[in-house]
Amino acid sequence: MAGRGSLPEGSLFLGFDSSTQSLKATVLNNELTIVASEIVNFDSELPHYKTEGGVYRDSTDDGHIFSPTIMWVEALELLLEKLKPKINFSKVLAVSGSGQQHGSVYWKKGSKAVLSSLDSSKSLLLQLKDAFSTMNSPIWMDSSTTKQCREIENAVGGALELAKLTGSRAYERFTGPQIRKIYQTEPNVYEDTERISLVSSFMASILVGSYASIDETDGAGMNLMDINQRTWSKTVLEATAPELEAKLGTLAPAYSAAGQIAPYFVERFQFDKNCLVIQWSGDNPNSLAGLTLNTPGDLAISLGTSDTVFGITAEAKPSLEGHVFPNPVEPDGYMVMLCYKNGSLTREHVRNEFAEKSWDVFNGYLEKTPPLNGGKLGFYYKDHEILPPLPVGFHRYIVENLDDASSDNLIEREVAEFNPPSEVRAIIEGQMLSMRGHAERFGMPNPPKRIIATGGASSNESILKSIVEIFGCPVFTVQRPDSASLGAALRAAHGWLCNTKGSFVPISCLYEGNLEKTSLGSKLAVPAGEEEDRELLKKYTLLMSKRMEIERRLVEKIGRA
């Protein structure tokens, strides 16, 4: 096994994360230590787009949420300008990146020629502002394609058949249903589209000055790729839109190179002309890489704008909930994932309503309310939820007889509200109980060996304590909560190494035996509980079952599927 010596002395690796609310960059050196980072926040630093949380919400079309494509172009330029004084771009051997999953970009006919002839004396914004057949990019928060989801599922023999074929049943945010909606409602836009990119391949395309492939891992979040063959599924393409394959291009493995960096960046920012652009992938696959998640039995929980739970597995066993994607750093393996739309923005909503808009007050309430919250269970959906498929709304219950831990006579009654401290505990416990319930149903380990927490809220120790109590295992955190841009920088180094060696090498070659000396190591944040916590865990297991039962009834009554 090669050690870190595989990376040349003095070399740098640049990773981006094009997320919902910002564009971030992380730079690693050959020792895999972070040497620079930078961020552009869309709302505050590009205020002329008038986004809220990086997005627009369409008041005339329920659930239609999108972002202005050109904002991401301007953010890339601004971010590189901010990085310029911090690093020497000529030392960067490879660049890669992470894009928010399921966002799509529509290049209009003739744009390939524009991309390949960028003039370094002019801004990207000026040159690309007319390159798109629609200026709006549907993103992962969009839930306006229910009709298209059902049409695609029906065309292939049902939701389970689609899941077996593509790794997931049809989800409203997935790119296939989004493309079908554009084809049906804006046929002129579809007709005028030369290439459809994901956010990840879109950013990679700008960097190489040509259309970059969609990588297999991010491509799995489209409902269009055969999860076992890792090629476009002709059956689903036909069910989605005509002549779609030509607009998608070919797929590529995540560790392969999209090409060398375009002359534009060599001339304008002094990148070396041999700098490689490694395929960009989705934010969740990049987080998996950045967390060095490589042991079945480990779970990662990312607490961000959306909350996700993911682990790794050797074989694909798709089901009606959750997702199976190829593992971005292990060509034969898979990652399994659950995704929740109501993450940090919903926690902030509860904080603002019940905890004086202060995280200190919120954490104080969480600490002073006892675990199990006296049986108070809350379902908080500020946005239409993905898992379970429930509409916007808040539902509160009190579960009685919980003190008798062997009891199967738990009864619940619905209430209008809790007191403020109980509201705070109810949202945190509710989110974590839902994660545990769905993870176990999806075949993820119970209890996990450990959980690695990442994302903004992973720095909140009060929340981490609840995770330990509910899942019954230790929680580790990483040095940096933005594991997606860190994972992208690590994948840039990995892709460079694979390219140099002429074949795939395991990513662990880069850090084996040295993990704690890099910026990648995780540390124990909250240990697993002692004996009395096992009793508590039993009660949480009962409460989780009750929650899943109430959830099932809510879905039957008002569900969006």
Side-chain angles (χ1 to χ4, degrees):
M1 283 278 182
R4 283 175 307 160
S6 314
L7 303 176
E9 194 69 38
S11 58
L12 298 176
F13 299 90
L14 171 55
F16 292 101
D17 175 31
S18 182
S19 71
T20 316
Q21 303 186 54
S22 63
L23 180 66
K24 303 184 191 84
T26 297
V27 185
L28 290 174
N29 64 11
N30 60 297
E31 302 276 317
L32 301 182
T33 305
I34 295 169
V35 291
S37 59
E38 201 43 87
I39 185 167
V40 171
N41 181 285
F42 301 145
D43 291 1
S44 60
E45 293 181 72
L46 299 169
H48 43 284
Y49 292 103
K50 299 186 167 61
T51 53
E52 281 184 34
V55 306
Y56 296 138
R57 292 166 190 267
D58 183 349
S59 56
T60 64
D61 182 358
D62 183 38
H64 182 211
I65 301 177
F66 55 95
S67 293
T69 310
I70 198 70
M71 176 177 77
W72 299 330
V73 176
E74 192 173 352
L76 178 62
E77 288 192 275
L78 180 55
L79 189 64
L80 287 168
E81 290 293 349
K82 287 173 85 165
L83 269 178
K84 216 175 185 173
K86 293 188 165 186
I87 65 163
N88 180 347
F89 285 123
S90 69
K91 297 262 198 285
V92 177
L93 294 188
V95 178
S96 188
S98 145
Q100 55 167 304
Q101 289 193 260
H102 321 297
S104 47
V105 172
Y106 300 80
W107 297 94
K108 82 172 179 206
K109 287 177 177 167
S111 295
K112 189 177 183 182
V114 177
L115 258 183
S116 63
S117 55
L118 293 171
D119 177 348
S120 63
S121 68
K122 298 178 185 150
S123 74
L124 288 173
L125 181 68
L126 193 67
Q127 298 176 83
L128 293 176
K129 67 178 180 5
D130 299 320
F132 311 108
S133 50
T134 170
M135 298 306 286
N136 299 329
S137 283
I139 62 156
W140 67 273
M141 294 172 80
D142 187 280
S143 58
S144 66
T145 62
T146 313
K147 167 179 170 280
Q148 289 78 15
C149 288
R150 297 299 85 80
E151 289 168 352
I152 293 169
E153 285 178 347
N154 292 340
V156 302
L160 189 58
E161 282 309 306
L162 186 67
K164 286 177 183 166
L165 198 55
T166 68
S168 305
R169 65 176 303 167
Y171 281 91
E172 292 152 321
R173 69 191 188 282
F174 273 41
T175 321
Q178 294 289 347
I179 292 170
R180 182 163 177 78
K181 183 185 173 188
I182 285 178
Y183 161 66
Q184 288 178 333
T185 60
E186 301 177 81
N188 54 323
V189 168
Y190 185 78
E191 175 55 35
D192 194 31
T193 297
E194 172 173 276
R195 175 63 77 104
I196 299 170
S197 294
L198 295 180
V199 177
S200 53
S201 63
F202 164 65
M203 300 295 269
S205 299
I206 296 173
L207 290 171
V208 294
S210 181
Y211 292 142
S213 291
I214 290 172
D215 91 286
E216 294 163 356
T217 308
D218 210 7
M222 299 173 76
N223 280 136
L224 296 173
M225 186 184 88
D226 183 318
I227 192 76
N228 292 306
Q229 303 300 322
R230 307 197 183 190
T231 54
W232 299 121
S233 162
K234 301 266 192 274
T235 316
V236 195
L237 291 183
E238 282 166 22
T240 303
E243 289 154 27
L244 181 52
E245 190 163 4
K247 296 182 195 282
L248 293 173
T250 54
L251 288 153
Y255 61 86
S256 61
Q260 288 175 323
I261 201 158
Y264 179 89
F265 298 95
V266 176
E267 292 156 20
R268 195 168 173 107
F269 295 99
Q270 286 70 57
F271 277 89
D272 185 282
K273 68 181 193 325
N274 296 313
C275 172
L276 286 179
V277 178
I278 303 305
Q279 294 292 352
W280 283 45
S281 190
D283 47 5
N284 294 298
N286 277 286
S287 287
L288 180 115
L291 297 172
T292 66
L293 203 66
N294 50 24
T295 316
D298 286 354
L299 268 193
I301 293 182
S302 175
L303 300 165
T305 311
S306 70
D307 286 344
T308 51
V309 184
F310 49 93
I312 55 172
T313 175
E315 52 187 322
K317 290 184 187 165
S319 72
L320 281 176
E321 63 182 41
H323 315 292
V324 178
F325 298 148
N327 184 329
V329 292
E330 178 47 67
D332 300 328
Y334 295 89
M335 63 179 286
V336 289
M337 190 177 96
L338 303 170
C339 187
Y340 295 85
K341 193 186 287 188
N342 288 272
S344 62
L345 298 179
T346 306
R347 286 187 286 274
E348 280 168 27
H349 172 79
V350 170
R351 177 201 68 181
N352 294 345
E353 290 282 305
F354 303 105
E356 301 168 30
K357 300 187 175 174
S358 154
W359 283 121
D360 287 341
V361 174
F362 183 97
N363 292 340
Y365 282 168
L366 192 53
E367 293 287 343
K368 82 176 193 197
T369 47
L372 302 166
N373 207 10
K376 297 184 185 78
L377 263 186
F379 296 74
Y380 297 84
Y381 305 124
K382 191 175 180 297
D383 279 301
H384 293 326
E385 185 49 271
I386 298 159
L387 188 66
L390 286 172
V392 171
F394 299 85
H395 313 276
R396 297 170 179 87
Y397 301 86
I398 296 178
V399 176
E400 288 164 356
N401 304 334
L402 197 59
D403 283 337
D404 173 14
S406 61
S407 158
D408 54 359
N409 62 340
L410 295 183
I411 49 172
E412 81 279 356
R413 56 189 167 89
E414 193 161 2
V415 295
E417 59 185 3
F418 301 141
N419 63 357
S422 296
E423 294 279 1
V424 165
R425 183 164 276 277
I427 184 163
I428 297 302
E429 288 194 342
Q431 288 178 329
M432 300 313 149
L433 285 167
S434 175
M435 285 180 192
R436 185 183 151 192
H438 286 281
E440 287 179 15
R441 210 155 78 180
F442 196 37
M444 293 192 202
N446 162 39
K449 285 182 189 161
R450 61 173 183 156
I451 286 172
I452 304 176
T454 179
S458 65
S459 56
N460 184 323
E461 198 171 321
S462 305
I463 293 177
L464 299 185
K465 276 186 197 160
S466 281
I467 296 178
V468 170
E469 289 167 348
I470 288 169
F471 280 85
C473 68
V475 171
F476 289 72
T477 52
V478 282
Q479 294 176 31
R480 306 249 317 191
D482 50 339
S483 52
S485 63
L486 176 62
L490 181 65
R491 284 187 49 253
H494 179 233
W496 180 87
L497 191 61
C498 293
N499 199 271
T500 306
K501 300 229 184 262
S503 66
F504 177 82
V505 292
I507 196 166
S508 53
C509 290
L510 289 168
Y511 51 72
E512 212 154 43
N514 287 306
L515 198 56
E516 67 291 344
K517 296 196 179 103
T518 70
S519 292
L520 303 164
S522 55
K523 65 177 195 305
L524 180 64
V526 186
E530 299 302 317
E531 195 57 49
E532 68 275 11
D533 289 353
R534 295 207 185 103
E535 284 307 305
L536 180 59
L537 184 62
K538 280 184 196 164
K539 290 184 181 177
Y540 270 125
T541 303
L542 278 175
L543 194 59
M544 175 193 78
S545 302
K546 191 67 183 168
R547 183 188 171 87
M548 296 297 276
E549 183 192 310
I550 297 170
E551 179 191 286
R552 191 191 74 242
R553 289 204 297 269
L554 279 171
V555 171
E556 282 166 8
K557 194 166 139 196
I558 55 171
R560 290 169 45 253

